[in-house]
Amino acid sequence: MSSQATPTLRLTGIGASPGVAVGHAFILDRKRIRTPKLRLADAEVEPERMRMKTAIDLSDRQLAELKDQITRTEGSDHALILEAHRLMLHDPMLVDEVNRLIVEDRINAEWAVRRTARKIKHLFDNIPDEYFRERRSDVDYVADRIIRNLMGQVVDEDVEVPAEAIVVAHDLPPADAAMMARSGRVAGFVTDLGGQTSHTAIVARARETPAVVGAGRASEQISPGDLVAMDGTRGVVLVNPTEDQLALFREEQRRYLESEQLALATKDQPAVSTDGFRIRLNGNMEFLEEIPSLLAHGAEGIGLYRTEFMFLDRKTAPTEEEHYRAYKQVLEAMGGRPVTIRTLDLGGDKVPGKTKHEKEPNPAMGLRAIRYCLSNRELFRVQLRALLRASVHGNLRLMFPLICGVSELREARTELEACRTALGRAGVPVGKRFPVGIMVETPSAATIADRLAQEADFFSIGTNDLIQYSLAIDRQNREVAYLYRPLHLSVLRMLQGIVDAAKSANIPVSMCGEMAGDPLFTLVLLALGFDELSMTSGQIPVVKRLMRRVSRSEAVEMLQGAMELTTAEEIERFVRTEMDRRFSGQEGSLLSPMHDPEPEPV
């Protein structure tokens, strides 16, 4: 279809995997099927229950075969997602409720499955953590599989994707995303649903395939064969772009590929300013298969290893052995580089085996993270024992999330030392003592950073929570999300105070939130004096190249000028102008356009 034959359509979503791609749309029709709704006669109830059991058994066999196939080709990480789906098939919350509806409400199995899935999904609405909220889609994947099997429809249909296609879908099951990304024929993904932690996003980042998720009604608005230009960093999709727009995307694509090639060539060079200030650039991760990409892009270590994925769709908590194996694999894969593992950032509403679902009035500020672990000591001790055992296999650093005061840090460290002593008495090998730090992500921790620095071995600033708590806004709330301003003067002053407290106590200070990997903020963070920054693999090369082309004294001068201003808008405008002045024609196009003061209308 000619790019000038039809008007250009601009769609915006979430940039889930960096990169620029241009190709023709391949529409994958995986939309939910229409669910038949029937009333049963008394004599039909028992046969309907048996029909449901047969569909579950068939679904289980299909998932087992898919798991084996993906394990052979992709490794075990994505296969774990399919194993979680198998567990969901047999979860009493699903099976018992479906059978109850069949018996008591006299409705057919398809209708009962859909109603039950809707009920289970509502339980996820109270979860503040984006990763766990995204697991609502897993409920749909499992329910759709059961319903298709009940209706005798094809479930796992092989799809032949044309070369260099942009795959457009309402949503993608993890098996589809993994197999298509592996084929090497997919130029990019665009989905209606999803977020940064959806399966499509995770698979795309691991395979370094550009992806835009959460793009609304993209699968309805894009037609098969449409020319699509997409930017997986900005979350922008142009359908049937003009020649001028296409030329801009092609140039951006060329620059991105050039940046990737430079990343491979310079991955072993340090991030050091022209006047010698050195910052370690680390990677954020949650799946083992992300490590090759991180190392290829120059990660010097792991600055944030999220461990909550092990609790995904489980009825029971992971065993100590499961924890140990996961940490051992990552430590060995990093070959002596530092690996910072965050203890569980769970909440009472996202723990396996919990049968009572009480809706917390404000879950983001409720019983979560270190608070939950200290209230559930055995769950905490299982992880701590596994971490101590795994520490013999690499360079481990441990950090506790959501620390609000010194007493929490002391309690957590006491538990760690008690576990160390118990393992020693039992003759279990444990590595040498490793650094124990904290996530600084609450205003209270920031305010008493000088006291916390006396008892923590390092700080790691989680800006996602710190900013939203400090500015009293919910980033997930569209009505107030525009108020989320990393360059708000109060945020800058808070960051400066945390860094100064760390420096005074002679402990390292790092940042692992989204702010760390945004090129717009690179000189601000260089000026503040961070020792380490941690980000996704695709962000490392750009941040490194910016740092290597400027002096820290220049960055400090820029920050001083910014902090003389008052409003967040003034500071953002000043910083962007200064960045453009220094890097225009070099890295200008790679500065995050999400901060454009006047974005194009949608």
Side-chain angles (χ1 to χ4, degrees), residues 91-160:
D91 193 321
M93 189 182 297
L94 172 69
V95 179
D96 291 354
E97 178 65 10
V98 169
N99 283 324
R100 186 190 70 79
L101 291 172
I102 291 172
V103 173
E104 295 181 9
D105 289 13
R106 296 291 197 269
I107 62 174
N108 62 313
E110 292 93 337
W111 190 2
V113 169
R114 187 62 73 203
R115 280 177 54 178
T116 302
R118 191 178 301 119
K119 180 178 179 180
I120 294 173
K121 284 170 61 182
H122 283 326
L123 299 176
F124 287 85
D125 293 339
N126 188 41
I127 299 177
D129 186 272
E130 180 191 359
Y131 181 81
F132 281 85
R133 273 201 312 275
E134 286 294 339
R135 304 290 71 84
R136 287 177 295 193
S137 60
D138 293 298
V139 180
D140 279 333
Y141 297 148
V142 171
D144 285 349
R145 178 174 292 274
I146 296 171
I147 291 171
R148 287 183 186 276
N149 281 322
L150 283 166
M151 298 176 68
Q153 296 192 3
V154 175
V155 178
D156 298 309
E157 186 177 6
D158 290 334
V159 178
E160 185 66 28

Side-chain angles (χ1 to χ4, degrees), residues 242-544:
T242 65
E243 292 298 332
D244 288 344
Q245 290 171 328
L246 191 58
L248 288 173
F249 265 82
R250 293 286 191 195
E251 175 61 16
E252 194 170 350
Q253 185 179 37
R254 185 193 66 77
R255 289 193 182 191
Y256 183 83
L257 293 174
E258 183 181 83
S259 172
E260 287 292 283
Q261 291 168 356
L262 283 171
L264 295 175
T266 62
K267 70 183 182 69
D268 296 323
Q269 294 182 359
V272 56
S273 66
T274 57
D275 53 356
F277 190 83
R278 173 84 157 85
I279 295 184
R280 177 185 287 271
L281 298 186
N282 296 324
N284 294 340
M285 63 161 287
E286 50 197 325
F287 291 104
L288 182 67
E289 67 176 16
E290 294 176 87
I291 290 179
S293 177
L294 285 168
L295 294 179
H297 286 81
E300 300 175 73
I302 302 297
L304 171 61
Y305 176 28
R306 304 178 184 91
T307 56
E308 295 77 38
F309 77 93
M310 287 188 288
F311 283 72
L312 172 64
D313 298 331
R314 296 178 58 126
K315 292 162 57 180
T316 58
T319 64
E320 181 180 322
E321 194 62 27
E322 287 176 299
H323 277 286
Y324 165 73
R325 285 198 302 268
Y327 308 147
K328 175 177 179 286
Q329 283 184 301
V330 172
L331 286 164
E332 289 181 339
M334 289 302 291
R337 299 175 183 86
V339 176
T340 307
I341 300 181
R342 182 180 70 184
T343 58
L344 296 168
D345 189 357
L346 294 171
D349 50 4
K350 50 178 177 177
V351 176
K354 182 179 174 68
T355 56
K356 186 177 181 181
H357 296 270
E358 296 179 356
K359 189 173 181 65
E360 289 194 49
N362 194 340
M365 299 185 185
L367 188 64
R368 53 168 292 217
I370 196 64
R371 304 168 185 177
Y372 187 87
C373 287
L374 292 176
S375 296
N376 295 267
R377 298 293 175 119
E378 188 50 39
L379 182 87
F380 193 30
R381 290 165 185 158
V382 165
Q383 183 178 33
L384 294 179
R385 288 194 297 267
L387 286 163
L388 287 161
R389 290 171 54 199
S391 65
V392 302
H393 299 290
N395 186 358
L396 173 65
R397 300 190 300 189
L398 175 66
M399 66 180 177
F400 301 120
L402 207 72
I403 291 291
C404 292
V406 174
S407 58
E408 283 178 327
L409 174 56
R410 288 175 179 170
E411 269 195 88
R413 295 196 75 144
T414 297
E415 284 293 342
L416 178 65
E417 291 310 310
C419 289
R420 185 190 297 276
T421 300
L423 288 172
R425 287 175 179 164
V428 178
V430 173
K432 63 181 181 180
R433 292 189 179 275
F434 44 78
V436 178
I438 65 168
M439 294 275 291
V440 181
E441 49 192 337
T442 64
S444 63
T447 304
I448 62 166
D450 58 330
R451 304 296 175 87
L452 287 165
Q454 302 303 313
E455 305 196 27
D457 297 325
F458 65 90
F459 284 163
S460 183
I461 301 178
T463 51
N464 299 3
D465 273 344
L466 181 62
I467 294 171
Q468 72 170 349
Y469 289 150
S470 300
L471 302 182
I473 58 102
D474 178 4
R475 289 196 309 153
Q476 306 300 325
N477 185 334
R478 292 177 180 270
E479 299 297 324
V480 296
Y482 73 96
L483 293 170
Y484 185 87
R485 300 281 192 169
L487 293 183
H488 194 289
L489 184 58
S490 66
V491 174
L492 293 177
R493 286 180 174 177
M494 195 173 295
L495 294 177
Q496 185 69 75
I498 298 166
V499 173
D500 289 348
K503 298 292 184 184
S504 295
N506 199 30
I507 64 171
V509 57
S510 67
M511 178 183 287
C512 61
E514 289 177 12
M515 189 177 180
D518 191 325
L520 179 64
F521 307 134
T522 297
L523 294 196
V524 172
L525 303 183
L526 174 62
L528 286 169
F530 280 90
D531 299 295
E532 301 180 9
L533 300 175
S534 191
M535 60 202 71
T536 61
S537 61
Q539 295 171 319
I540 294 172
V542 179
V543 171
K544 180 186 291 187

Side-chain angles (χ1 to χ4, degrees), residues 51-90:
R51 198 166 73 91
M52 176 64 188
K53 183 180 184 305
T54 300
I56 287 180
D57 291 343
L58 176 57
S59 299
D60 188 62
R61 289 197 300 274
Q62 293 166 344
L63 287 171
E65 291 172 3
L66 272 176
K67 178 189 172 187
D68 291 342
Q69 182 182 4
I70 289 182
T71 299
R72 289 193 300 270
T73 58
E74 292 291 301
S76 61
D77 287 316
H78 294 310
L80 288 174
I81 296 170
L82 295 177
E83 183 60 30
H85 287 184
R86 292 181 69 191
L87 291 171
M88 289 179 67
L89 280 173
H90 304 286

